[in-house]
């Protein structure tokens, strides 16, 4: 049975996550938007019910003032009835007004002197307002609310404060007495929330399958509620979901596409490196190394480049790391040494003491064959070991014994050894003391933070002190400014490398620089002819 490798499992998991997470995020977002929009809708309905109730209250209050101004003797006279009919006509929400004595409405704007028994009040509020919530008058099917203040009564149809509310299936709405927590006009079910003693003002909550909004009047002892079933109301929410969810799907697919692209291009890179090695698609550039005191070019670091055309460049940092992971680094180093062998003679002819710096990976340092390879290079290119500096990174110190052995053999043969990128890895002073090395290369990170406030700015100084204690020469990398150069010189750093002196360049350009340097030096040292 085939098993899935951990890497493939991680990739599959990564693809699933990058697809699913944006979709889940979109759904959650759409859901949140929906809840928010439904709660806003519920609140809006409750506010409208409340404001209709308040308008009814205003009209009842105005009517009561006018009616209570009539004397009991004349209230139900022709004159009193005329006043009541006028009020009835002018008020938009009152069905009728009347005069009450005890529980009986003696006369009214709509039935003259015909009496109606209103029954006892349901709510006798602290404002001395009496509510009767289920009054029937002429038609037994029509139910009214009778609000009595003093002897005056205003009759409001149950639907008057509710009938403007949009029809939403399952919606419950109503008005209620705030202090008594008893409902007045309402439709559907009354949420138990209105009876909660901790309810003090406007509230919106999600409860079960409903959004419940409750609002309280600042004018009257009344509140209003709306209980809106979830998922029934807002077209806006589904519109948002209609945008967000496809967007989530697109982002998810794009992300997993990018992930797959990265994984595939990484996975296929070792194959491409192999093929580039076969087809001779690598070449070397050289970056000058300067003696800081004199400004002379004393050496150059050989830096590998992969010829892939300008638009498809891959930095050596990346392809070297891939080659190391894929077990191809020994082949890459082999090619680098072959390329170097072709170039060195042309330089040594101009500057016999010149040295070439080459980068070795951990595996090169650990390899038993490395000396044979170097022997071949030296022999084929007719240079001396003293023309070579081998740079090993701190990573090669993982197997310190093998590395120590290689270093000793290199130095015995006459080459010099440097520790590259010092300070970025995990080597300690203890390790350094055990190694037979000549140079320490301070990483550009520390050089570039010299004179800044960065936490790393102190590190260069410490590394330099340490190197001096161990009697190691120092090469500072990544010098880009005169200021950095000045600071390094003040710290007595011997060598430097960086864009200030030259970017990695073609062999021919390096030769030109060296010829120029030799010419200048020739002029300076030639005895003056009188
Ligand atoms: P490295 O050994 O630390 O090489 C120095 C890097 O710093 C080079 O990058 C160089 O171009 C860059 N550099 C030099 N001066 C400056 C400067 O003033 N400012 C800035 N910002 N950068 C500067 P490059 O050529 O891209 O090489 C990157 C890394 O790839 C090298 O870092 C080295 O670790 C590795 N590499 C390159 N060629 C080889 C090789 O043949 N074998 C091995 N094993 N590694 C190599
Ligand atoms: Ca290097
Ligand atoms: Ca370096």
């Amino acid at each position: 049975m085939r098993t899935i490798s951990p890497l493939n499992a991680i990739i599959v998991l990564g693809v699933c996550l990058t697809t699913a997470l944006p979709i889940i995020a979109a759904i959650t977002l759409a859901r949140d938007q929906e809840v928010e929009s439904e709660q806003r809708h519920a609140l809006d309905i409750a506010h409208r019910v409340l404001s209709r109730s308040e308008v009814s209250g205003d009209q009842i209050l105005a009517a009561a003032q006018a009616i209570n101004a009539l004397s009991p003797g004349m209230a139900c006279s022709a004159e009193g009835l005329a006043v009541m009919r006028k009020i009835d006509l002018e008020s938009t929400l009152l069905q009728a007004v009347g005069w009450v004595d005890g529980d009986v409405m003696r006369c009214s704007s709509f039935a003259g002197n015909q009496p109606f028994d209103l029954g006892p009040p349901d709510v006798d509020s602290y404002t001395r307002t009496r509510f009767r919530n289920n009054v029937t008058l002429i038609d037994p099917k029509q139910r009214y609310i009778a609000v009595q203040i003093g002897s005056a009564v205003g009759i409001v149809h149950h639907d008057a404060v509710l009938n403007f509310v949009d029809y939403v299936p399952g919606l419950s709405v109503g008005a209620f007495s705030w202090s008594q927590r008893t409902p007045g006009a309402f439709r559907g079910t009354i949420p138990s929330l209105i009876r909660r003693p901790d309810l003090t003002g406007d509230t919106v909550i999600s409860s079960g399958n409903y959004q419940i909004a409750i609002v309280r009047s600042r004018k009257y002892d009344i509140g209003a509620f709306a209980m809106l079933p979830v998922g029934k109301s807002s077209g806006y929410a589904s519109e948002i979901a209609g945008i967000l969810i496809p967007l989530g799907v697109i982002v998810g697919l794009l992300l997993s596409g990018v992930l797959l692209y990265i994984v595939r291009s990484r996975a296929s890179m070792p194959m491409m490196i192999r093929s580039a090695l076969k087809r001779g698609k690598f070449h070397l550039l050289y970056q000058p190394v300067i003696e800081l005191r004199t400004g002379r070019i004393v050496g150059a670091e050989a830096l590998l480049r992969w010829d892939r055309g300008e638009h498809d460049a891959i930095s050596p940092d990346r392809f070297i790391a891939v080659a190391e992971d894929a077990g191809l680094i020994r082949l890459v180093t082999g090619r680098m040494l072959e390329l170097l062998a072709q170039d060195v003679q042309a330089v040594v002819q101009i500057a016999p003491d010149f040295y070439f710096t080459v980068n070795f990976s951990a595996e090169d340092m650990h390899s038993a064959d490395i000396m044979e390879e170097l022997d071949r290079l030296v022999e084929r290119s007719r240079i001396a070991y003293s023309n070579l500096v081998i740079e090993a990174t701190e990573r090669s110190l993982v197997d310190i014994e093998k590395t120590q052995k290689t270093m000793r053999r290199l130095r015995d043969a006459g080459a010099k050894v440097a520790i590259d990128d010092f300070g970025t890895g995990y080597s300690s002073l203890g390790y350094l003391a055990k190694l037979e090395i000549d140079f320490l290369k301070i990483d550009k990170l520390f050089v570039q933070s010299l004179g800044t406030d960065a936490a790393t700015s102190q590190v260069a100084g410490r590394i330099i002190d340490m190197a001096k204690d161990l009697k190691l020469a120092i090469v500072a990398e990544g010098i880009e400014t005169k200021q950095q150069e000045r600071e390094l010189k003040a710290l007595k750093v011997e060598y430097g490398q960086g864009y200030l002196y030259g970017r990695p360049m073609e062999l021919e350009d390096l030769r030109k620089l060296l010829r120029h340097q030799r010419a200048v030096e020739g002029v300076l040292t030639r005895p003056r002819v009188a």
Side-chain angles (χ1 to χ4, degrees):
M1 200 180 76
R2 272 190 69 191
T3 52
I4 298 181
S5 76
L7 181 65
N8 282 338
I10 290 170
I11 293 167
V12 170
L13 193 72
V15 169
C16 292
L17 283 180
T18 46
T19 315
L21 286 181
I23 297 176
I24 293 170
I27 291 173
T28 316
L29 203 63
R31 179 80 211 111
D32 284 356
Q33 289 277 339
E34 193 182 351
V35 167
E36 212 189 296
S37 123
E38 283 176 342
Q39 291 194 337
R40 247 184 286 124
H41 191 190
L43 204 56
D44 178 53
I45 295 173
H47 271 301
R48 286 162 70 190
V49 171
L50 188 67
S51 87
R52 288 279 283 217
S53 308
E54 286 178 342
V55 173
S56 309
D58 295 343
Q59 295 185 358
I60 289 168
L61 214 58
Q65 252 170 8
I67 295 169
N68 283 322
L70 301 169
S71 66
M74 71 171 294
C76 288
S77 66
E79 203 182 322
L81 286 175
V83 171
M84 287 191 221
R85 281 197 200 100
K86 188 166 177 279
I87 294 171
D88 185 354
L89 267 176
E90 284 171 357
S91 58
T92 48
L93 287 173
L94 302 187
Q95 255 67 38
V97 289
W99 178 270
V100 186
D101 183 7
D103 287 337
V104 177
M105 181 163 72
R106 292 277 165 218
C107 58
S108 62
S109 58
F110 74 101
N113 281 312
Q114 186 186 344
F116 288 94
D117 188 0
L118 300 178
D122 299 306
V123 177
D124 209 343
S125 92
Y126 65 86
T127 54
R128 304 190 146 269
T129 308
R130 292 178 179 161
F131 291 87
R132 292 175 177 83
N133 289 330
N134 264 314
V135 172
T136 48
L137 298 168
I138 297 170
D139 179 351
K141 283 201 281 289
Q142 297 294 334
R143 285 157 46 254
Y144 299 91
I145 298 173
V147 184
Q148 182 189 346
I149 302 171
S151 299
V153 69
I155 309 282
V156 186
H157 196 281
H158 256 257
D159 276 351
V161 294
L162 307 175
N163 60 6
F164 66 96
V165 174
D166 311 332
Y167 175 74
V168 177
L171 170 73
S172 299
V173 277
F176 61 98
S177 148
W178 189 272
S179 60
Q180 315 278 318
R181 304 293 166 100
T182 46
F186 71 94
R187 200 154 73 199
T189 30
I190 298 157
S192 56
L193 182 67
I194 71 160
R195 301 214 174 80
R196 281 238 309 256
D198 58 341
L199 189 70
T200 52
D202 295 3
T203 307
V204 198
I205 59 160
S206 299
S207 168
N209 290 325
Y210 293 93
Q211 304 297 354
I212 305 174
I214 292 185
V215 290
R216 177 181 183 174
S217 169
R218 294 203 176 80
K219 236 173 164 181
Y220 298 115
D221 176 33
I222 50 173
F225 67 84
M227 188 157 97
L228 186 69
V230 167
K232 290 277 166 54
S233 68
S234 62
Y236 168 73
S238 47
E239 230 172 75
I240 288 284
I243 298 168
L244 279 181
I245 293 173
L247 202 69
V249 172
I250 292 169
V251 171
L253 290 177
L254 271 178
L255 276 182
S256 55
V258 169
L259 181 76
L260 275 180
Y261 173 79
I262 293 170
V263 167
R264 275 199 43 198
S265 63
R266 261 202 87 100
S268 59
M269 229 210 281
M271 256 158 58
M272 296 192 311
I273 293 175
R274 263 181 213 284
S275 131
L277 283 168
K278 243 187 245 149
R279 293 181 298 128
K281 290 288 186 191
F282 287 101
H283 78 281
L284 281 178
L285 293 184
Y286 298 93
Q287 185 178 35
V289 177
I290 308 294
E291 187 181 39
L292 289 177
R293 192 177 51 83
T294 57
R296 290 186 76 238
I297 303 172
V298 290
E301 176 167 8
L303 293 160
L304 210 50
R305 292 292 179 267
W306 186 349
D307 310 326
R308 287 166 55 94
E310 252 178 63
H311 301 295
D312 208 10
I314 295 185
S315 91
D317 276 323
R318 242 184 104 203
F319 71 75
I320 294 286
V322 172
E324 284 175 344
D325 288 349
L328 294 171
I329 193 65
R330 297 285 299 115
L331 294 175
V332 172
T333 305
R335 168 54 47 86
M336 185 264 292
L337 293 175
E338 277 171 26
L339 289 167
L340 188 69
Q342 294 165 15
D343 289 350
V344 285
Q345 211 18 258
V347 174
V348 173
Q349 275 171 2
I350 308 171
D353 297 334
F354 197 84
Y355 63 79
F356 288 94
T357 297
V358 292
N359 292 285
F360 273 14
S361 290
E363 224 183 302
D364 299 316
M365 294 307 287
H366 299 161
S367 159
D369 308 328
I370 193 73
M371 287 311 290
E372 284 165 32
E373 255 171 87
L374 285 174
D375 285 344
R376 270 205 301 279
L377 165 82
V378 168
E379 200 177 307
R380 190 152 19 122
S381 55
R382 290 172 286 118
I383 56 165
Y385 263 103
S386 58
N387 292 117
L388 287 179
V389 178
I390 309 299
E391 290 187 5
T393 59
E394 287 174 290
R395 279 181 309 249
S396 61
L397 304 179
V398 180
D399 189 338
I400 188 139
E401 274 176 19
K402 280 189 185 156
T403 302
Q404 258 176 329
K405 199 169 151 196
T406 305
M407 285 180 172
R408 197 169 308 125
R409 289 167 73 193
L410 283 166
R411 295 183 87 229
D412 287 348
K416 291 206 163 70
V417 176
I419 295 288
D420 200 1
D421 299 339
F422 190 80
T424 60
Y426 28 70
S427 56
S428 64
L429 190 59
Y431 266 129
L432 272 190
K434 273 198 223 163
L435 296 170
E436 293 189 28
I437 50 179
D438 304 277
F439 299 103
L440 210 58
K441 291 191 86 168
I442 308 180
D443 193 73
K444 50 181 168 280
L445 180 77
F446 304 116
V447 170
Q448 288 170 359
S449 68
L450 274 177
T452 69
D453 296 337
T456 39
S457 67
Q458 301 299 315
V459 180
R462 293 223 191 93
I463 294 175
I464 292 163
D465 288 344
M466 195 168 81
K468 297 240 181 275
D469 286 345
L470 293 168
K471 311 236 166 342
L472 300 174
I474 301 158
V475 185
E477 285 186 313
I479 305 176
E480 291 181 358
T481 65
K482 276 277 170 201
Q483 179 59 28
Q484 289 162 352
E485 181 187 64
R486 270 194 294 276
E487 300 209 26
L488 291 162
K489 274 176 156 173
L491 291 164
K492 302 260 175 320
V493 170
E494 290 89 347
Y495 302 100
Q497 198 180 331
Y499 295 168
L500 181 64
Y501 314 106
R503 295 194 172 236
M505 60 185 76
E506 299 291 339
L507 176 74
E508 252 334 291
D509 296 323
L510 177 68
R511 277 166 48 92
K512 253 186 233 159
L513 278 183
L514 287 172
R515 275 201 295 263
H516 176 74
Q517 176 168 292
R518 193 175 62 176
V520 172
E521 285 171 353
V523 170
L524 291 177
T525 53
R526 205 177 297 150
R528 284 194 182 197
V529 188

